[in-house]
Amino acid sequence: MGRGAAFFDLDKTVIAKSSALAFGRPFYRDGLITRRDVVKSAYAQLMFRLGGTDEQTMARTRDYLATLCKGWQVEQVRQIVAETLHELINPYVYAEAAALIEEHQAAGRDVVLVSASGEEMVRPIGELLGVTDVIATRMAVEDGRYSGEVEFYAAGPSKVEAVTRLAEERGYDLADSYAYSDSYSDRPLLECVGHPTVVNPDRQLRKLATENAWPVLEFRHPIPLGRRLRERP
């Protein structure tokens, strides 16, 4: 049998906000999106969180993101994320999630962030947490700009396909692996591992956890990385 891994959803599980919406302000400031786009993006995120398991909802969200990003320079997006990461994300990392990630790493398990947000955002957040493996949405790129097509949308069943593929490549035993999420839309991800745990669950997911006797964690303390290191026992 292979070794286990630990798969973490990102938004509201590891960080106390939406990673995609967090960068809305600098994207607006740098002219990538309009004020109307900010409102529409927030609405799309809300609709996804309320009904993300519905294929039609996921397809609409995916297509909206692709259209919104079309023509953006990839390097500009990476630069904005790098410049604002410590201001917009670092203070919102749950201390409980950071400690849990460290526990899994200390036990010899690989930790993987699995998020519907774009890879250009998720990978730097992973680096902030000491996590090198990410499964995230990938946009098609032509001549250094997003083409308006989505190569891979990391949501719902697609997350499971990517996790299963990675497990086959790395030799992970999914029956001995862990998954953490706050959203009912991640039911397929939670059900594909032997040790599912729900974190700050929405109403549907809390009900599912009760029915399946899954552990329920409540993360309440977002603390900046520097402060966590100083205050570590």
Side-chain angles (χ1 to χ4, degrees), residues 202-224:
D202 58 31
R203 185 170 53 81
Q204 278 183 292
L205 184 58
R206 189 178 292 276
K207 182 172 181 289
L208 182 68
T210 302
E211 292 170 353
N212 289 277
W214 292 346
V216 178
L217 299 178
E218 303 288 345
F219 291 172
R220 293 285 180 262
H221 302 97
I223 298 176

Side-chain angles (χ1 to χ4, degrees), residues 139-212:
M139 313 295 286
V141 176
E142 291 178 4
D143 300 323
R145 294 178 181 270
Y146 296 117
S147 67
E149 301 292 325
V150 179
E151 284 185 355
F152 173 71
Y153 187 46
S158 296
K159 282 189 176 183
V160 177
E161 292 171 13
V163 164
T164 304
R165 192 160 53 244
L166 185 64
E168 290 171 354
E169 292 171 3
R170 301 275 183 87
Y172 298 147
D173 177 10
L174 289 180
D176 195 33
S177 292
Y178 297 73
Y180 301 86
S181 178
D182 72 299
S183 174
Y184 187 79
S185 64
D186 278 333
R187 176 177 183 170
L189 173 66
L190 293 164
E191 290 180 336
C192 86
V193 299
H195 303 284
T197 298
V198 305
V199 177
N200 301 341
D202 58 31
R203 185 170 53 81
Q204 278 183 292
L205 184 58
R206 189 178 292 276
K207 182 172 181 289
L208 182 68
T210 302
E211 292 170 353
N212 289 277

Side-chain angles (χ1 to χ4, degrees), residues 26-47:
F27 286 168
Y28 171 69
R29 181 196 65 208
D30 284 27
L32 292 179
I33 58 177
T34 65
R35 191 177 295 276
R36 183 167 177 267
D37 290 328
V38 173
V39 175
K40 284 183 68 179
S41 297
Y43 179 74
Q45 180 80 7
L46 175 63
M47 289 299 98

Side-chain angles (χ1 to χ4, degrees), residues 45-61:
Q45 180 80 7
L46 175 63
M47 289 299 98
F48 176 76
R49 297 196 68 78
L50 291 179
T53 52
D54 174 70
E55 284 187 24
Q56 195 174 12
T57 302
M58 285 196 290
R60 277 202 307 267
T61 307

Side-chain angles (χ1 to χ4, degrees), residues 3-8 101 104-105 107-112 131-133 166 170 172 177-178:
R3 60 198 173 98
F7 302 94
F8 284 78
I101 286 171
H104 280 296
Q105 291 171 330
R109 298 185 193 95
D110 288 348
V111 173
V112 185
V131 175
T132 55
D133 293 315
L166 185 64
R170 301 275 183 87
Y172 298 147
S177 292
Y178 297 73

